[in-house]
Amino acid sequence: MSGDLMTWLVPLVAMLAAGLLAGFAAGIFGIGGGFVVVPALLVVLPLLGGTKDAIAHVAIGTSAATIIVTSIRSLMAHAKRGAVEFEVLKTWAPWIVAGCGVGVLLAGHVDGNTLKMIFATGVGLMSLNFLLPSVSGKVVSDTMPSGIVRMGIAGGLGTFSSLLGIGGGVIAIMVMTLCGRTIHRAIATASGIGTLIAIPTTIGFAIIGFKEGGLPWGSLGYINVPATLAIASMSMLTAPLGVAAAHSLPAGPLKKIFGVYLIIISVIMFRGALHG
């Protein structure tokens, strides 16, 4: 009996802890929390059964599902402070959704180890934004991209983010600050972009994994429902705390710590993919 209890207790505690951290990270950095959730799920999901190849897809899909809740919670908290640029969300939405569709289709045609390699590469690249001198002080334009440039950036953002199971906040923040937006407005708006990415990505991963075998217990396609509920419930609690911290604390030291975390995760993921 105690063995059965531990079988369920360990993954539950890990998921709840991941949710707490993901929610705070989403609020303070404007990211969806996928950089925290995906690595945690890759460790926890095997305890719920499933094949190695399916685990990576379920981790990405489930991360996207949790981001729906996390990003909406962050968006609401930022909106109360009047920091969200809804016009940006409106004009970027069609291209982000289209890009997510492309990303989901690509994910359906790669194996688990390839998906891990893609995630590890993306995490490594994103760590540079947190560790290197920020470009947020530079401004190359006083208006947001439009026309074909907006289509390319937003579409690419959707594709890249859906493949990684992330909210795309880092890229969105970089673009907005380069276009003269303050870091606080960029972070706030990025939380909304996370929602635009997470919803179609979640639907897509549920569909492409619907008839797949070897899924962990409680999975609906490539979305693990118990993990989604556990992580999302905790992220709702801490996302507003992250938002408050983003508006009141110097982000420099926290960004460095998070950047080091991303590098460690990237190395671990590369090793896991190479030896998988």
Short mmCIF file of all heavy atoms in Angstrom, two decimals, residues 16-64:
data_model
loop_
_atom_site.label_atom_id
_atom_site.label_comp_id
_atom_site.label_asym_id
_atom_site.label_seq_id
_atom_site.Cartn_x
_atom_site.Cartn_y
_atom_site.Cartn_z
N LEU A 16 2.96 19.77 -8.64
CA LEU A 16 2.51 20.95 -7.88
C LEU A 16 3.66 21.95 -7.74
O LEU A 16 3.45 23.16 -7.89
CB LEU A 16 1.99 20.52 -6.50
CG LEU A 16 0.71 19.67 -6.49
CD1 LEU A 16 0.39 19.23 -5.07
CD2 LEU A 16 -0.46 20.43 -7.09
N ALA A 17 4.86 21.45 -7.46
CA ALA A 17 6.02 22.32 -7.33
C ALA A 17 6.34 23.01 -8.65
O ALA A 17 6.65 24.21 -8.69
CB ALA A 17 7.23 21.52 -6.84
N ALA A 18 6.26 22.26 -9.76
CA ALA A 18 6.51 22.84 -11.08
C ALA A 18 5.50 23.93 -11.38
O ALA A 18 5.83 24.97 -11.97
CB ALA A 18 6.45 21.75 -12.16
N GLY A 19 4.25 23.71 -10.98
CA GLY A 19 3.21 24.71 -11.20
C GLY A 19 3.48 26.00 -10.45
O GLY A 19 3.30 27.10 -10.98
N LEU A 20 3.93 25.88 -9.21
CA LEU A 20 4.24 27.07 -8.41
C LEU A 20 5.35 27.89 -9.06
O LEU A 20 5.25 29.12 -9.17
CB LEU A 20 4.66 26.65 -6.99
CG LEU A 20 3.56 26.08 -6.09
CD1 LEU A 20 4.16 25.51 -4.81
CD2 LEU A 20 2.52 27.15 -5.76
N LEU A 21 6.42 27.21 -9.48
CA LEU A 21 7.55 27.91 -10.09
C LEU A 21 7.18 28.47 -11.45
O LEU A 21 7.56 29.59 -11.81
CB LEU A 21 8.74 26.96 -10.21
CG LEU A 21 10.05 27.55 -10.76
CD1 LEU A 21 10.48 28.75 -9.95
CD2 LEU A 21 11.15 26.49 -10.77
N ALA A 22 6.43 27.69 -12.24
CA ALA A 22 6.05 28.13 -13.58
C ALA A 22 5.17 29.38 -13.51
O ALA A 22 5.32 30.31 -14.31
CB ALA A 22 5.32 27.02 -14.32
N GLY A 23 4.25 29.41 -12.56
CA GLY A 23 3.37 30.56 -12.42
C GLY A 23 4.14 31.82 -12.08
O GLY A 23 3.90 32.89 -12.67
N PHE A 24 5.07 31.72 -11.16
CA PHE A 24 5.87 32.88 -10.77
C PHE A 24 6.73 33.35 -11.94
O PHE A 24 6.82 34.56 -12.21
CB PHE A 24 6.75 32.53 -9.58
CG PHE A 24 7.49 33.72 -9.01
CD1 PHE A 24 6.86 34.61 -8.15
CD2 PHE A 24 8.81 33.95 -9.35
CE1 PHE A 24 7.52 35.71 -7.63
CE2 PHE A 24 9.50 35.05 -8.84
CZ PHE A 24 8.85 35.93 -7.97
N ALA A 25 7.36 32.40 -12.65
CA ALA A 25 8.20 32.75 -13.79
C ALA A 25 7.37 33.42 -14.88
O ALA A 25 7.82 34.37 -15.52
CB ALA A 25 8.88 31.51 -14.36
N ALA A 26 6.15 32.94 -15.08
CA ALA A 26 5.27 33.53 -16.09
C ALA A 26 4.95 34.98 -15.75
O ALA A 26 4.93 35.85 -16.62
CB ALA A 26 3.98 32.71 -16.21
N GLY A 27 4.68 35.23 -14.49
CA GLY A 27 4.32 36.59 -14.08
C GLY A 27 5.47 37.56 -14.15
O GLY A 27 5.32 38.69 -14.63
N ILE A 28 6.64 37.16 -13.70
CA ILE A 28 7.75 38.10 -13.59
C ILE A 28 8.49 38.30 -14.91
O ILE A 28 8.99 39.39 -15.21
CB ILE A 28 8.74 37.67 -12.49
CG1 ILE A 28 9.69 38.82 -12.15
CG2 ILE A 28 9.51 36.42 -12.89
CD1 ILE A 28 10.49 38.60 -10.90
N PHE A 29 8.54 37.25 -15.76
CA PHE A 29 9.29 37.35 -17.01
C PHE A 29 8.41 37.45 -18.24
O PHE A 29 8.91 37.65 -19.35
CB PHE A 29 10.23 36.15 -17.17
CG PHE A 29 11.30 36.07 -16.12
CD1 PHE A 29 11.47 34.92 -15.38
CD2 PHE A 29 12.15 37.13 -15.87
CE1 PHE A 29 12.45 34.82 -14.40
CE2 PHE A 29 13.15 37.05 -14.90
CZ PHE A 29 13.29 35.89 -14.16
N GLY A 30 7.10 37.28 -18.09
CA GLY A 30 6.20 37.35 -19.24
C GLY A 30 6.27 36.11 -20.11
O GLY A 30 5.87 36.13 -21.27
N ILE A 31 6.78 35.01 -19.58
CA ILE A 31 6.87 33.75 -20.33
C ILE A 31 5.74 32.83 -19.88
O ILE A 31 5.11 33.05 -18.86
CB ILE A 31 8.23 33.06 -20.13
CG1 ILE A 31 8.43 32.68 -18.65
CG2 ILE A 31 9.36 33.97 -20.60
CD1 ILE A 31 9.72 31.92 -18.39
N GLY A 32 5.49 31.78 -20.66
CA GLY A 32 4.40 30.89 -20.32
C GLY A 32 4.69 29.90 -19.22
O GLY A 32 3.79 29.32 -18.64
N GLY A 33 5.96 29.69 -18.93
CA GLY A 33 6.34 28.72 -17.90
C GLY A 33 6.76 27.38 -18.45
O GLY A 33 7.12 26.48 -17.70
N GLY A 34 6.75 27.24 -19.79
CA GLY A 34 7.11 25.97 -20.40
C GLY A 34 8.54 25.53 -20.14
O GLY A 34 8.83 24.33 -20.09
N PHE A 35 9.45 26.50 -19.96
CA PHE A 35 10.84 26.15 -19.67
C PHE A 35 10.96 25.45 -18.33
O PHE A 35 11.96 24.77 -18.06
CB PHE A 35 11.72 27.41 -19.67
CG PHE A 35 11.92 28.01 -21.03
CD1 PHE A 35 11.91 29.37 -21.21
CD2 PHE A 35 12.12 27.20 -22.13
CE1 PHE A 35 12.10 29.93 -22.46
CE2 PHE A 35 12.32 27.75 -23.40
CZ PHE A 35 12.30 29.12 -23.56
N VAL A 36 9.98 25.63 -17.46
CA VAL A 36 9.96 24.94 -16.16
C VAL A 36 9.16 23.66 -16.26
O VAL A 36 9.56 22.61 -15.76
CB VAL A 36 9.35 25.86 -15.08
CG1 VAL A 36 9.23 25.12 -13.75
CG2 VAL A 36 10.18 27.13 -14.91
N VAL A 37 8.02 23.73 -16.93
CA VAL A 37 7.07 22.61 -16.95
C VAL A 37 7.57 21.43 -17.77
O VAL A 37 7.48 20.27 -17.33
CB VAL A 37 5.70 23.09 -17.49
CG1 VAL A 37 4.76 21.90 -17.68
CG2 VAL A 37 5.09 24.10 -16.53
N VAL A 38 8.11 21.66 -18.96
CA VAL A 38 8.53 20.55 -19.83
C VAL A 38 9.60 19.67 -19.18
O VAL A 38 9.45 18.44 -19.15
CB VAL A 38 9.01 21.07 -21.21
CG1 VAL A 38 9.62 19.93 -22.03
CG2 VAL A 38 7.84 21.68 -21.97
N PRO A 39 10.70 20.26 -18.65
CA PRO A 39 11.69 19.38 -17.99
C PRO A 39 11.10 18.59 -16.82
O PRO A 39 11.45 17.42 -16.63
CB PRO A 39 12.74 20.38 -17.49
CG PRO A 39 12.61 21.56 -18.39
CD PRO A 39 11.14 21.66 -18.68
N ALA A 40 10.21 19.23 -16.04
CA ALA A 40 9.59 18.52 -14.92
C ALA A 40 8.75 17.36 -15.42
O ALA A 40 8.78 16.26 -14.85
CB ALA A 40 8.75 19.49 -14.10
N LEU A 41 8.00 17.57 -16.48
CA LEU A 41 7.14 16.52 -17.01
C LEU A 41 7.95 15.36 -17.60
O LEU A 41 7.54 14.20 -17.53
CB LEU A 41 6.20 17.09 -18.07
CG LEU A 41 5.08 17.99 -17.56
CD1 LEU A 41 4.30 18.59 -18.72
CD2 LEU A 41 4.13 17.21 -16.65
N LEU A 42 9.09 15.66 -18.20
CA LEU A 42 9.93 14.59 -18.75
C LEU A 42 10.43 13.66 -17.67
O LEU A 42 10.70 12.47 -17.92
CB LEU A 42 11.10 15.20 -19.52
CG LEU A 42 10.75 15.85 -20.86
CD1 LEU A 42 11.96 16.58 -21.43
CD2 LEU A 42 10.25 14.81 -21.85
N VAL A 43 10.54 14.17 -16.45
CA VAL A 43 10.95 13.34 -15.31
C VAL A 43 9.76 12.62 -14.70
O VAL A 43 9.84 11.43 -14.35
CB VAL A 43 11.64 14.21 -14.23
CG1 VAL A 43 11.93 13.38 -12.99
CG2 VAL A 43 12.92 14.82 -14.78
N VAL A 44 8.64 13.31 -14.61
CA VAL A 44 7.48 12.80 -13.88
C VAL A 44 6.61 11.85 -14.71
O VAL A 44 6.14 10.83 -14.20
CB VAL A 44 6.62 13.98 -13.36
CG1 VAL A 44 5.32 13.47 -12.77
CG2 VAL A 44 7.40 14.77 -12.32
N LEU A 45 6.38 12.17 -15.97
CA LEU A 45 5.43 11.40 -16.77
C LEU A 45 5.76 9.91 -16.89
O LEU A 45 4.83 9.09 -16.92
CB LEU A 45 5.30 12.02 -18.17
CG LEU A 45 4.51 13.33 -18.24
CD1 LEU A 45 4.56 13.91 -19.64
CD2 LEU A 45 3.06 13.10 -17.81
N PRO A 46 7.05 9.52 -16.95
CA PRO A 46 7.33 8.07 -17.01
C PRO A 46 6.76 7.31 -15.81
O PRO A 46 6.50 6.10 -15.91
CB PRO A 46 8.86 8.01 -17.03
CG PRO A 46 9.26 9.30 -17.68
CD PRO A 46 8.28 10.31 -17.16
N LEU A 47 6.57 8.00 -14.68
CA LEU A 47 5.99 7.34 -13.51
C LEU A 47 4.52 6.99 -13.73
O LEU A 47 3.94 6.18 -13.00
CB LEU A 47 6.12 8.24 -12.27
CG LEU A 47 7.55 8.63 -11.87
CD1 LEU A 47 7.53 9.60 -10.69
CD2 LEU A 47 8.35 7.38 -11.51
N LEU A 48 3.91 7.63 -14.73
CA LEU A 48 2.51 7.35 -15.07
C LEU A 48 2.40 6.39 -16.24
O LEU A 48 1.30 6.17 -16.77
CB LEU A 48 1.77 8.66 -15.40
CG LEU A 48 1.77 9.73 -14.31
CD1 LEU A 48 1.00 10.97 -14.80
CD2 LEU A 48 1.15 9.20 -13.03
N GLY A 49 3.52 5.79 -16.65
CA GLY A 49 3.52 4.86 -17.76
C GLY A 49 3.76 5.56 -19.08
O GLY A 49 4.01 6.77 -19.14
N GLY A 50 3.71 4.80 -20.17
CA GLY A 50 3.92 5.37 -21.49
C GLY A 50 5.30 5.06 -22.04
O GLY A 50 6.24 4.78 -21.30
N THR A 51 5.42 5.11 -23.36
CA THR A 51 6.69 4.83 -24.02
C THR A 51 7.58 6.07 -24.02
O THR A 51 7.11 7.19 -23.87
CB THR A 51 6.45 4.40 -25.48
OG1 THR A 51 5.84 5.48 -26.20
CG2 THR A 51 5.54 3.18 -25.54
N LYS A 52 8.88 5.85 -24.21
CA LYS A 52 9.83 6.96 -24.22
C LYS A 52 9.51 7.96 -25.32
O LYS A 52 9.63 9.16 -25.14
CB LYS A 52 11.27 6.43 -24.39
CG LYS A 52 11.84 5.76 -23.15
CD LYS A 52 13.29 5.38 -23.38
CE LYS A 52 13.91 4.78 -22.13
NZ LYS A 52 15.34 4.42 -22.33
N ASP A 53 9.13 7.45 -26.48
CA ASP A 53 8.87 8.34 -27.61
C ASP A 53 7.64 9.20 -27.36
O ASP A 53 7.60 10.36 -27.74
CB ASP A 53 8.69 7.53 -28.89
CG ASP A 53 8.77 8.39 -30.14
OD1 ASP A 53 9.80 9.07 -30.32
OD2 ASP A 53 7.80 8.40 -30.92
N ALA A 54 6.64 8.62 -26.71
CA ALA A 54 5.40 9.37 -26.46
C ALA A 54 5.58 10.43 -25.37
O ALA A 54 4.93 11.48 -25.40
CB ALA A 54 4.28 8.41 -26.07
N ILE A 55 6.48 10.15 -24.41
CA ILE A 55 6.65 11.05 -23.27
C ILE A 55 7.01 12.46 -23.70
O ILE A 55 6.46 13.45 -23.19
CB ILE A 55 7.72 10.50 -22.30
CG1 ILE A 55 7.25 9.22 -21.62
CG2 ILE A 55 8.09 11.56 -21.24
CD1 ILE A 55 6.02 9.38 -20.77
N ALA A 56 7.93 12.60 -24.64
CA ALA A 56 8.37 13.93 -25.07
C ALA A 56 7.21 14.71 -25.68
O ALA A 56 7.03 15.90 -25.40
CB ALA A 56 9.51 13.81 -26.08
N HIS A 57 6.40 14.06 -26.51
CA HIS A 57 5.26 14.74 -27.12
C HIS A 57 4.22 15.13 -26.07
O HIS A 57 3.65 16.23 -26.13
CB HIS A 57 4.61 13.83 -28.18
CG HIS A 57 5.43 13.67 -29.42
ND1 HIS A 57 6.51 12.82 -29.48
CD2 HIS A 57 5.34 14.26 -30.64
CE1 HIS A 57 7.04 12.87 -30.69
NE2 HIS A 57 6.35 13.74 -31.42
N VAL A 58 3.99 14.25 -25.11
CA VAL A 58 3.01 14.55 -24.05
C VAL A 58 3.51 15.70 -23.18
O VAL A 58 2.73 16.55 -22.74
CB VAL A 58 2.72 13.30 -23.20
CG1 VAL A 58 1.78 13.65 -22.03
CG2 VAL A 58 2.09 12.20 -24.05
N ALA A 59 4.82 15.74 -22.92
CA ALA A 59 5.39 16.83 -22.11
C ALA A 59 5.18 18.18 -22.80
O ALA A 59 4.79 19.16 -22.16
CB ALA A 59 6.87 16.58 -21.86
N ILE A 60 5.43 18.23 -24.11
CA ILE A 60 5.26 19.48 -24.86
C ILE A 60 3.79 19.88 -24.91
O ILE A 60 3.43 21.04 -24.65
CB ILE A 60 5.79 19.32 -26.31
CG1 ILE A 60 7.30 19.00 -26.31
CG2 ILE A 60 5.50 20.59 -27.12
CD1 ILE A 60 8.19 20.11 -25.83
N GLY A 61 2.93 18.93 -25.24
CA GLY A 61 1.50 19.23 -25.33
C GLY A 61 0.89 19.64 -24.00
O GLY A 61 0.10 20.59 -23.93
N THR A 62 1.27 18.94 -22.95
CA THR A 62 0.74 19.25 -21.61
C THR A 62 1.23 20.60 -21.14
O THR A 62 0.49 21.37 -20.50
CB THR A 62 1.14 18.15 -20.61
OG1 THR A 62 0.65 16.89 -21.08
CG2 THR A 62 0.57 18.43 -19.23
N SER A 63 2.48 20.92 -21.43
CA SER A 63 3.01 22.24 -21.08
C SER A 63 2.16 23.34 -21.72
O SER A 63 1.81 24.33 -21.06
CB SER A 63 4.46 22.37 -21.55
OG SER A 63 4.94 23.68 -21.36
N ALA A 64 1.82 23.16 -23.00
CA ALA A 64 0.99 24.15 -23.68
C ALA A 64 -0.36 24.29 -22.98
O ALA A 64 -0.88 25.41 -22.83
CB ALA A 64 0.79 23.74 -25.14
#
